[in-house]
Amino acid sequence: TRCALSRAAAAGLWIVATDGTLYRTAADGRVTRAIALAQLRSGPARTTAIGRLRDGSVLLGYSDGQLVRVGDGIAPAALPFAPPTESAITVLHEDAAGTLWIGSTSNGLFRMREPSVSVERDWLPQPVLAALRTRNVHALWLGAQGQALVGTDQGLLGKAAADAPWQALPALG
């Protein structure tokens, strides 16, 4: 069995394995929890992203755009995130303010102010999105002062501070 996706836990890892299992390990590598991915949701969708929330739980993103929350001591639950079209979740990140950032293929970057509340789509300036010719989000970094980098198929977007404009960055060619 191989690790397909992983995310650090408070002491150990959450691992989505190629055998179709979500594992929680202790810091010494010992498995402390194992959940068959098929128990978390129905349907043939693949797990395509994993993100850790501040409360220690994790979100699993799927190839059909759905999200499932799993944690120690909580029952697995689907989040009511409904992308406009079936689009794989590629990035999951919760910032210090509790905003959940969701990157996807072909639908860009979403933000959810609180898990299960409001979802904002296409919040990036349209000229920036048009310049990149795609909205396949593959990586996201958020700094403490509002800085951000978003890696996509067509290049890198960034801003230097929370109130700075978004711009295409020439870093990748």
Side-chain angles (χ1 to χ4, degrees):
T1 297
R2 293 187 205 149
C3 174
L5 300 167
S6 64
R7 189 62 67 216
L13 292 173
W14 285 96
I15 299 169
V16 174
T18 56
D19 69 356
T21 305
L22 174 66
Y23 293 99
R24 170 78 164 76
T25 72
D28 63 4
R30 187 176 31 86
V31 173
T32 59
R33 188 169 180 194
I35 305 167
L37 292 172
Q39 291 178 334
L40 300 178
R41 55 161 287 160
S42 60
R46 291 179 301 106
T47 307
T48 54
I50 184 171
R52 183 170 176 245
L53 300 179
R54 291 177 298 168
D55 67 4
S57 64
V58 292
L59 285 178
L60 300 177
Y62 289 89
S63 58
D64 63 359
Q66 300 304 306
L67 295 171
V68 172
R69 181 175 173 227
V70 180
D72 292 329
I74 63 169
L79 281 182
F81 173 67
T85 61
E86 288 187 2
S87 179
I89 301 297
T90 55
V91 176
L92 293 165
H93 177 77
E94 183 183 36
D95 67 19
T99 299
L100 177 61
W101 299 82
I102 305 164
S104 69
T105 58
S106 69
N107 275 307
L109 191 60
F110 300 83
R111 59 184 174 187
M112 189 182 291
R113 296 292 181 185
E114 295 177 30
S116 79
V117 181
S118 63
V119 176
E120 298 173 358
R121 181 172 183 252
D122 290 339
W123 54 273
L124 289 172
Q126 287 301 318
V128 174
L129 290 174
L132 292 174
R133 299 183 316 272
T134 186
R135 291 183 261 175
N136 292 333
V137 174
H138 297 287
L140 173 66
W141 174 80
L142 301 169
Q145 281 76 46
Q147 318 92 309
L149 294 173
V150 180
T152 74
D153 284 352
Q154 298 297 316
L156 188 62
L157 289 173
K159 65 178 187 164
D163 58 353
W166 284 90
Q167 56 187 325
L169 301 174
L172 301 177

